[in-house]
Amino acid sequence: MREKKKVIIYGLGIGYTRIRDYIMNQCDVVGYSDRNGDRREILGEEKNKFILPEHLTDAEFDFICITSKKYFQEIKNRLQEIIGKQNRDKIVSVYEIFGDFRNEEVRNQWV
């Protein structure tokens, strides 16, 4: 069995609620982040995994998965400033991962 990617979910709004169950089954979610720290409350028992954006450099992960389609580029730019441009390939959109999930080859690259 393939080892699951260690993922930090960035964005706990409506985009997150749409993919929450699926991503929890397909990835090893090691953390959650959002610039609005109050959103940690929606995580319930998982709220201890909440990481403020400025502390992402302390976390161990394969990818940061941004759940917002509308603000993706803005968030990606901000995260690159935090984790460094050398890590920009670790910042992906949930739609890059799951957008064409009907395609087995694409799906197997991530899970």
Side-chain angles (χ1 to χ4, degrees):
M1 184 174 193
R2 185 184 303 249
E3 186 175 326
K4 293 181 178 181
K5 304 286 186 199
K6 294 179 184 176
V7 174
I8 294 176
I9 304 298
Y10 187 95
L12 299 175
I14 197 159
Y16 165 71
T17 59
R18 288 181 180 156
I19 56 93
R20 172 183 50 220
D21 293 336
Y22 191 78
I23 202 165
M24 295 292 288
N25 289 320
Q26 300 299 321
C27 300
D28 179 10
V29 179
V30 296
Y32 302 88
S33 190
D34 195 293
R35 74 176 176 175
N36 181 349
D38 293 338
R39 288 202 174 147
R40 78 177 68 203
E41 296 306 317
I42 70 165
L43 298 172
E45 293 180 13
E46 295 274 292
K47 69 181 174 183
N48 63 326
K49 291 184 177 182
F50 186 84
I51 305 166
L52 290 169
E54 56 268 23
H55 296 289
L56 288 171
T57 55
D58 300 330
E60 187 178 319
F61 58 89
D62 296 314
F63 295 98
I64 297 175
C65 179
I66 299 172
T67 62
S68 173
K69 187 175 186 178
K70 184 175 182 179
Y71 298 107
F72 172 75
Q73 196 58 53
E74 178 184 328
I75 294 168
K76 182 176 181 175
N77 292 342
R78 188 169 51 240
L79 292 177
Q80 282 183 86
E81 291 175 13
I82 294 169
I83 67 169
K85 291 190 186 238
Q86 71 276 12
N87 292 313
R88 72 176 167 262
D89 292 339
K90 290 185 171 192
I91 303 170
V92 298
S93 164
V94 69
Y95 300 98
E96 287 178 67
I97 299 173
F98 301 115
D100 190 12
F101 232 58
R102 294 164 293 172
N103 182 325
E104 185 177 0
E105 184 178 335
V106 171
R107 185 172 59 244
N108 287 339
Q109 289 176 8
W110 293 100
V111 294

